[in-house]
Amino acid sequence: MTNIPNYGIIHALKIEPNYFGDIIDGKKAFEIRENDRNFKVGDYLALNELDDSRAGYSGRSVLARITYIVDDERFCKKGFVVMGFSVCEAKERAEE
């Protein structure tokens, strides 16, 4: 977790390849996560794609700004949030 003054916190998170692909394809603009990091609107998600073995990373990542949060227990499991986001930047592979 990194704090950028006046911009919010960057939360580094792992993401499964199928969900990452849907973000890249523009089909998915939300994340459902346990709210163990006190996510806030204006924070950023650094979503790092896991490789096929789920033991390491693929080198692809997305930086997204949280634009909306639902934490209402009528719609979310207690302690979880649904976060809407907008993608700021996508990286296909780690630079060598």
Side-chain angles (χ1 to χ4, degrees):
M1 188 171 1
T2 304
N3 190 5
I4 298 178
N6 302 320
Y7 292 102
I9 293 173
I10 298 175
H11 303 276
L13 302 169
K14 299 172 186 173
I15 187 167
E16 296 281 330
N18 55 320
Y19 298 126
F20 185 88
D22 287 344
I23 292 169
I24 294 296
D25 292 343
K27 297 177 192 173
K28 182 177 182 283
F30 66 92
E31 270 295 296
I32 303 168
R33 296 284 177 145
E34 184 174 4
N35 196 13
D36 57 352
R37 297 167 182 249
N38 197 26
F39 297 106
K40 301 281 185 206
V41 169
D43 285 354
Y44 290 83
L45 304 176
L47 300 170
N48 301 293
E49 182 187 38
L50 292 169
D51 63 18
D52 292 334
S53 72
R54 308 302 196 268
Y57 295 100
S58 71
R60 299 194 320 162
S61 63
V62 164
L63 181 67
R65 185 171 185 270
I66 300 172
T67 57
Y68 196 84
I69 294 179
V70 175
D71 62 356
D72 188 324
E73 290 182 22
R74 294 177 299 160
F75 308 108
C76 299
K77 185 176 175 181
K78 184 176 181 172
F80 283 73
V81 292
V82 177
M83 297 175 282
F85 61 76
S86 60
V87 173
C88 303
E89 182 179 334
K91 184 168 61 168
E92 280 300 310
R93 293 278 177 234
E95 296 175 10
E96 303 195 21

